[in-house]
Amino acid sequence: MWLGRCLREMVGFWVVCVCLVLIVNGVKDASEEDDQLQPYRTAFHFQPLKNWMNDPNGPMYFNGVYHLFYQYNPYGPLWGNISWGHSISYDLINWFLLQPVLEPNQPNYDINGCLSGSITILNGSKPIILYTGQDLNKSQVQNIAFPTNLSDPFLRNWIKWSGNPFLTPGNDIKPTQFRDPSTAWMGVDGKWRIVIGSEIDGHGTALLYSSTDGINWTRSEKPLHFSSKTGMWECPDFYPVGNGGKRGFDTSEQGNNTMYVLKASYNNREYYVIGNYDEKTDRFGVVGNDFMVSNTEFQYDYGRFYASKSFYDNAKQRRVIWGWVNEGDSESDAVKKGWSGLQSFPRSVWLSDTGKQLVQWPVDEIEKLRTKQVNITNRELKGGTLEITRITASQADVEVSFSLSNLNKAELIDSETVDPQLLCAQKNASVSGIFGPFGLLVLASNNFTEQTAVFFRVFKGPNKFLVLMCSDQSRSSIAEEVDKSIYGAFLDLDPHHKISLRTLIDHSIVESFGGEGVACMTARVYPKLATNKEAKLYVFNNGTETISISTLNAWSMNKAQIVPMA
Ligand code: DQQ
């Protein structure tokens, strides 16, 4: 009897074991199969399960929950039927996907699309959406929506205001150039203000409106700011930043010595200026260079990153920005993939110690996803490559810092105002220099046929050293029809100190932060050979001078959970 029971238990045990092995293998096979079929889907960047996504809209932290809304086509992988998709998270990493909150269905104010907009939390307790709608005639008008049930922790349902539209374009504004209301801020007079993107007489403009209740808005005589050097401004954002430290500020927070950031989206880029804002007169004065179209002006990101939106996270007292990272492959590729568009990894943003520019860094929560780690310290790299093995090179977070000596040998450059993107294209990763190119080769195939190079070069200009950062996609894929741009920017740092690079590699996105976040560069890549387990990661030096890797830490990254809410 005892023997019989023992045998039965053993058989039971083995049946359970075999089943578990089958299930685990099944899951592994299924996800490996997914990886093969969808090599460009990302693991830790936000994207819906399918369909088209563009601008982030109305991000907020409310009652312990992060909300991200986004321009979304619920019916297909190309732009159209533009709705507000909605997802929520407790950590900005793992997301529950909810139903869209706004759909284009109102002939007199949004039937042709619920375009971009923002959220303001009125009196700290009542979130409202301000968004642009395109009416039956494709005129752009501004609308409001409210949560239907404030006690729903996820704010799943929103209702459009019966008084919509609350603003229509004035006579001096073209009906197709009036969009993207910002988050509101409150002035000392207790009135709310917003800016709306426009173009007036050919000048990019941030129209200014004010309101006592957040619902009825009046246009101010003067815009908050405009530029005669640019065209139409989309998605303007306006917020305070502090002097020193990484702390962020609520849009309405008024304090001494606070500077303001005005961001405008145009020319497929995110340009920003820093200035002073006098709340009594609503005058904004730029300190430093004003808006224009040039690669030397400050941009949130010198690569593929657009229509960003920031929010104040009062749980962590930081300002966080998201940006839309579009595809570099074709519409027919989007149809094949069934999806299009990513959000950047959320970034904390603050004013640099110099007070002249912004610094951005992936939010700390990313560290939850880090698994296997590789560490290298004080390693000289005379030339060539050093492979970083033992981590998943297609899904990784890499931080590396380099130190250089004998800088007097640096390559001379006669102008300090040269276009950095052009310079990166002329001197791409395969062009040898003195100090550089050195940096990372990511998503590289076995024999380097495919590789994306994120690297630095150091030059000696007439008055100072110049540190150039480049992201070179020219060899990122053997596929011919995908975009292979080369991006570039100068980093405001002294190369006598360490030069650091952090790169988030996530299958088809390479998001890089140079000089501890003073310049960011995001690229989309579509390797054919260097996918999944075939992808390799290297540190390289293609300059004649030896460089030293002071430290390198690289981590394999787990996949974030992005799932529909049950
Ligand atoms: N995308 C939205 C517009 C915005 C543009 C439409 C920027 O509201 O101006 O999807 O990418």
Side-chain angles (χ1 to χ4, degrees):
M1 221 171 88
W2 174 84
L3 191 66
R5 210 179 75 205
C6 215
L7 275 172
R8 271 199 312 278
E9 279 179 4
M10 272 176 74
V11 169
F13 171 78
W14 284 111
V15 168
V16 171
C17 284
V18 169
C19 285
L20 275 177
V21 168
L22 286 176
I23 290 170
V24 168
N25 274 343
V27 169
K28 208 166 88 197
D29 286 351
S31 86
E32 273 173 15
E33 207 172 291
D34 286 352
D35 289 349
Q36 300 304 330
L37 290 172
Q38 288 275 4
Y40 307 129
R41 271 196 83 80
T42 58
F44 58 95
H45 282 78
F46 178 82
Q47 59 180 135
L49 297 183
K50 57 180 183 172
N51 296 331
W52 168 273
M53 173 176 67
N54 58 299
D55 316 352
N57 291 150
M60 72 164 165
Y61 178 75
F62 184 65
N63 286 347
V65 179
Y66 292 102
H67 294 254
L68 176 65
F69 302 86
Y70 36 91
Q71 296 279 281
Y72 182 57
N73 180 357
Y75 307 109
L78 303 179
W79 194 91
N81 311 300
I82 285 298
S83 306
W84 273 42
H86 183 202
S87 293
I88 60 107
S89 168
Y90 293 104
D91 58 7
L92 292 171
I93 302 286
N94 300 296
W95 292 88
F96 288 111
L97 303 158
L98 302 172
Q99 290 304 311
V101 293
L102 300 175
E103 289 185 278
N105 50 21
Q106 298 300 313
N108 63 330
Y109 64 83
D110 70 10
I111 189 114
N112 276 309
C114 298
L115 307 190
S116 282
S118 306
I119 285 190
T120 301
I121 306 176
L122 296 178
N123 310 321
S125 60
K126 289 193 191 114
I128 61 163
I129 287 176
L130 300 187
Y131 74 100
T132 301
Q134 287 200 130
D135 70 10
L136 207 52
N137 306 317
K138 298 218 170 130
S139 266
Q140 292 168 355
V141 296
Q142 313 310 324
N143 305 313
I144 294 178
F146 307 99
T148 48
N149 176 10
L150 272 177
S151 49
D152 169 6
F154 306 133
L155 304 177
R156 273 172 278 217
N157 297 304
W158 292 67
I159 185 166
K160 296 173 186 172
W161 184 39
S162 56
N164 283 343
F166 72 89
L167 284 177
T168 53
N171 291 337
D172 57 338
I173 300 170
K174 284 200 191 123
T176 52
Q177 291 179 331
F178 181 52
R179 57 182 181 271
D180 310 334
S182 71
T183 295
W185 70 96
M186 187 178 270
V188 271
D189 56 3
K191 282 192 188 165
W192 292 102
R193 274 108 168 130
I194 52 168
V195 280
I196 296 180
S198 190
E199 179 184 304
I200 295 188
D201 297 333
H203 302 163
T205 304
L207 299 165
L208 181 67
Y209 291 80
S210 68
S211 166
T212 47
D213 56 6
I215 293 177
N216 298 290
W217 294 85
T218 318
R219 183 169 160 190
S220 303
E221 207 183 305
K222 288 196 180 137
L224 182 72
H225 200 60
F226 70 92
S227 167
S228 56
K229 306 263 171 60
T230 81
M232 169 77 194
W233 286 359
E234 299 184 302
C235 302
D237 200 4
F238 186 61
Y239 56 87
V241 281
N243 272 352
K246 299 181 181 176
R247 183 182 175 309
F249 298 86
D250 182 81
T251 333
S252 299
E253 195 164 329
Q254 296 139 8
N256 294 329
N257 303 325
T258 302
M259 304 292 283
Y260 280 76
V261 174
L262 177 62
K263 183 276 297 187
S265 309
Y266 55 86
N267 197 31
N268 287 326
R269 290 284 175 91
E270 297 285 283
Y271 292 88
Y272 71 84
V273 295
I274 294 167
N276 297 304
Y277 170 57
D278 179 345
E279 295 171 42
K280 295 199 187 90
T281 57
D282 274 331
R283 284 179 67 97
F284 175 68
V286 175
V287 177
N289 288 353
D290 210 333
F291 287 105
M292 54 181 89
V293 181
S294 132
N295 285 328
T296 47
E297 301 315 311
F298 286 136
Q299 298 170 31
Y300 277 171
D301 194 297
Y302 297 85
R304 210 175 258 281
F305 182 98
Y306 195 66
S308 69
K309 185 76 62 188
S310 73
F311 73 103
Y312 175 63
D313 173 3
N314 69 5
K316 300 214 164 161
Q317 299 202 317
R318 61 186 170 182
R319 182 158 287 272
V320 175
I321 60 172
W322 293 90
W324 167 40
V325 185
N326 70 354
E327 301 295 320
D329 60 0
S330 66
E331 286 198 349
S332 64
D333 289 325
V335 173
K336 273 186 231 144
K337 292 184 303 193
W339 59 271
S340 184
L342 303 177
Q343 299 299 333
S344 65
F345 198 82
R347 306 170 177 179
S348 293
V349 61
W350 65 89
L351 190 65
S352 74
D353 289 342
T354 65
K356 287 189 195 146
Q357 71 171 112
L358 296 175
V359 181
Q360 296 166 73
W361 202 242
V363 295
D364 293 343
E365 287 87 337
I366 196 171
E367 292 172 20
K368 285 168 67 163
L369 292 174
R370 288 171 169 175
T371 58
K372 206 183 260 179
Q373 180 179 3
V374 170
N375 168 267
I376 294 172
T377 39
N378 297 329
R379 175 86 64 96
E380 288 210 327
L381 194 57
K382 284 209 167 69
T385 55
L386 171 70
E387 186 173 358
I388 310 302
T389 54
R390 292 180 289 120
I391 61 157
T392 52
S394 58
Q395 206 171 296
D397 181 358
V398 188
E399 292 193 56
V400 58
S401 65
F402 301 97
S403 53
L404 317 180
S405 43
N406 301 327
L407 274 164
N408 53 333
K409 292 189 187 162
E411 206 170 321
L412 298 178
I413 192 167
D414 48 19
S415 161
E416 282 159 12
T417 54
V418 51
D419 179 332
Q421 179 158 351
L422 212 62
L423 196 55
C424 287
Q426 283 160 355
K427 291 175 182 280
N428 67 28
S430 51
V431 179
S432 179
I434 299 174
F435 285 104
F438 61 87
L440 297 174
L441 286 183
V442 311
L443 296 170
S445 64
N446 235 338
N447 46 9
F448 298 104
T449 311
E450 290 184 332
Q451 58 175 66
T452 291
V454 188
F455 64 86
F456 301 105
R457 282 175 192 273
V458 177
F459 299 96
K460 200 171 177 186
N463 304 306
K464 58 177 182 188
F465 285 104
L466 292 175
V467 180
L468 180 71
M469 173 179 171
C470 308
S471 186
D472 175 359
Q473 285 68 242
S474 58
R475 290 172 60 186
S476 57
S477 175
I478 54 168
E480 275 169 13
E481 60 289 355
V482 298
D483 178 63
K484 295 180 189 166
S485 299
I486 299 179
Y487 307 125
F490 286 117
L491 265 53
D492 183 18
L493 55 88
D494 178 354
H496 291 96
H497 301 140
K498 288 185 183 125
I499 302 178
S500 78
L501 173 65
R502 177 163 185 196
T503 297
L504 307 181
I505 306 156
D506 195 1
H507 298 272
S508 65
I509 182 168
V510 179
E511 209 174 340
S512 300
F513 302 80
E516 295 179 340
V518 291
C520 308
M521 240 167 249
T522 300
R524 294 300 306 279
V525 290
Y526 303 89
K528 291 269 185 199
L529 311 169
T531 58
N532 300 312
K533 287 183 181 154
E534 303 306 317
K536 292 171 181 287
L537 170 68
Y538 298 86
V539 186
F540 80 105
N541 178 15
N542 193 13
T544 51
E545 276 301 305
T546 298
I547 54 151
S548 169
I549 303 169
S550 304
T551 52
L552 177 142
N553 283 298
W555 293 265
S556 293
M557 296 294 275
N558 274 334
K559 196 170 167 42
Q561 298 297 311
I562 302 179
V563 291
M565 179 160 270

